[in-house]
Amino acid sequence: MGDDTAGGRPPEPKIGRSVTLHLRGDWGTANLHRVCGWISQELTDRCGPHTRMAVWNGRGCVDAVRAVGRGEVHVALTTPAAFAAAALDGRGVYAGEGFPELRALGVVPQRDRLVMGVHRSWDITSFERLRARRPALTLATSVNDGENHVGLAAHALLDRSGVDVLGWGGRFLSDERPFETFAHVKAGRADAVIHEAVMLPHWQEFGGDLHFLEVERDVLDGLRGDFSWPEAIVEEGHFPGSPRFRTLDFSDFLVMTRSDLPDDVAYAIAWVLGETRGTIERQYRHLPPERSPVTYPLDPAAMGRAPIPLHPGAAAYYDALPAT
């Protein structure tokens, strides 16, 4: 590490040796891959001359956590950040293969929610009314294959809310990415939806046609207790004509590694996240912060508050931040 503490900032890292690092992002063109590219560029500038960085495609969900935990890559990103906590002690989808050595390098903020909406033509405004009516819905969401976080959470939410889409004569339209799901809703192929990425403009196009259902207290408490999945609020008017309601939090990109990553590399990545944040912010400033897939301006101190333990090298960076 260097010794430049100008302005009271943590010292810039200087790693003299060449480093080979494997990172895992998303399908290839979305936000997690952008963050991987940002880290790779800035880290390469601060390591030895023969440094090599590779970014592997992934899904940014359970697959990313397992890839890091199994040592297939050095660093991976997953979203929502809180869903990785269950991997530490092998709960939920990680039963039988926990990863207690999982560590955080930082969190890139994305204010997001998982929401369920039902077309207003059904006149269903709550899960209680949904259970009473037992409609044959065509519900669009992500694939429920044990890896996709949206599909995993959507089906857990339905099951714990006593909703039996197939048993009531309905069906699922299941896809990998949100854009296919949004297309089903917009085209009228689906009359209900469970998904995230609530900052995207697609929701403004069809959100006014939906009643959004507040998740019941016992369901939220159960999901938090069993899997550490947090809750959050969608404010009034976020969707056209929608009141304020409570649902699952689906926020933030978690930058993960294992405890055996060298301390100086972990420090350097955390430093890159906090001190070169303008590099990534510039890619989103054409959007209002509340409608951006990365919620800027980034706050380095907040980026160090992760749902899993920080790597000691990363903690050294966040601990060195000036008090505010």
Side-chain angles (χ1 to χ4, degrees):
M1 301 175 194
D3 58 0
D4 178 11
T5 57
R9 303 303 301 178
E12 181 175 353
K14 303 292 184 183
I15 299 176
R17 69 185 185 282
S18 296
V19 173
T20 297
L21 209 64
H22 293 262
L23 301 92
R24 184 162 171 145
D26 53 49
W27 311 287
T29 61
N31 302 293
L32 304 188
H33 242 58
R34 283 191 179 190
V35 174
C36 286
W38 163 38
I39 293 170
S40 298
Q41 173 178 300
E42 298 291 345
L43 188 59
T44 298
D45 287 347
R46 292 165 176 84
C47 294
H50 306 296
T51 291
R52 298 184 303 164
M53 302 282 169
V55 180
W56 293 88
N57 290 60
R59 302 169 74 184
C61 299
V62 174
D63 65 301
V65 179
R66 287 178 174 151
V68 169
R70 293 170 179 172
E72 297 169 5
V73 296
H74 302 99
V75 175
L77 274 75
T78 190
T79 185
F83 277 36
L88 292 170
D89 51 1
R91 287 174 290 146
V93 71
Y94 300 103
E97 190 183 17
F99 300 108
E101 71 281 5
L102 204 64
R103 296 293 181 269
L105 296 168
V107 172
V108 178
Q110 183 202 43
R111 192 174 301 115
D112 203 357
R113 311 287 184 258
L114 186 86
V115 297
M116 179 172 180
V118 181
H119 198 276
R120 288 177 178 266
S121 61
W122 287 101
D123 194 27
I124 291 171
T125 56
S126 68
F127 277 102
E128 181 180 17
R129 189 160 190 174
L130 180 59
R131 289 190 296 270
R133 295 279 299 276
R134 300 166 64 92
L137 296 174
T138 298
L139 192 151
T141 188
S142 287
V143 293
N144 184 30
D145 60 359
E147 288 198 349
N148 186 298
H149 277 159
V150 174
L152 185 71
H155 283 266
L157 177 60
L158 291 170
D159 291 345
R160 292 184 180 227
S161 299
V163 177
D164 186 358
V165 171
L166 299 179
W168 297 346
R171 65 189 180 114
F172 288 101
L173 299 178
S174 301
D175 293 281
E176 171 68 10
R177 287 180 281 272
F179 304 107
E180 294 90 346
T181 297
F182 298 157
H184 291 315
V185 180
K186 188 173 180 181
R189 292 187 294 270
D191 47 18
V193 60
I194 301 179
H195 226 289
E196 44 93 59
V198 298
M199 76 295 296
L200 293 181
H202 305 71
W203 289 101
Q204 302 306 310
E205 297 173 11
F206 55 71
D209 299 330
L210 306 173
H211 285 305
F212 290 92
L213 309 188
E214 179 163 90
V215 181
E216 293 159 323
R217 170 50 54 198
D218 63 322
V219 174
L220 291 170
D221 289 346
L223 292 172
R224 177 182 286 276
D226 290 344
F227 309 133
S228 300
W229 296 356
E231 64 183 81
I233 295 294
V234 177
E235 295 295 344
E236 180 179 2
H238 180 87
F239 303 114
S242 175
R244 186 177 189 264
F245 66 98
R246 184 177 55 220
T247 189
L248 275 176
D249 193 0
F250 234 68
S251 295
D252 299 336
F253 308 148
L254 178 64
V255 186
M256 305 171 292
T257 189
R258 287 171 23 138
S259 58
D260 55 2
L261 187 74
D263 283 0
D264 58 350
V265 176
Y267 175 92
I269 294 174
W271 187 94
V272 164
L273 294 175
E275 301 303 309
T276 71
R277 56 193 182 276
T279 302
I280 196 74
E281 287 180 344
R282 282 192 293 272
Q283 299 182 44
Y284 296 93
R285 286 196 176 275
H286 62 289
L287 300 167
E290 68 277 7
R291 301 294 180 186
S292 171
V294 169
T295 307
Y296 66 86
L298 278 60
D299 174 9
M303 295 167 80
R305 294 193 283 270
I308 64 173
L310 285 170
H311 188 290
Y317 164 74
Y318 298 110
D319 290 345
L321 289 169
T324 56

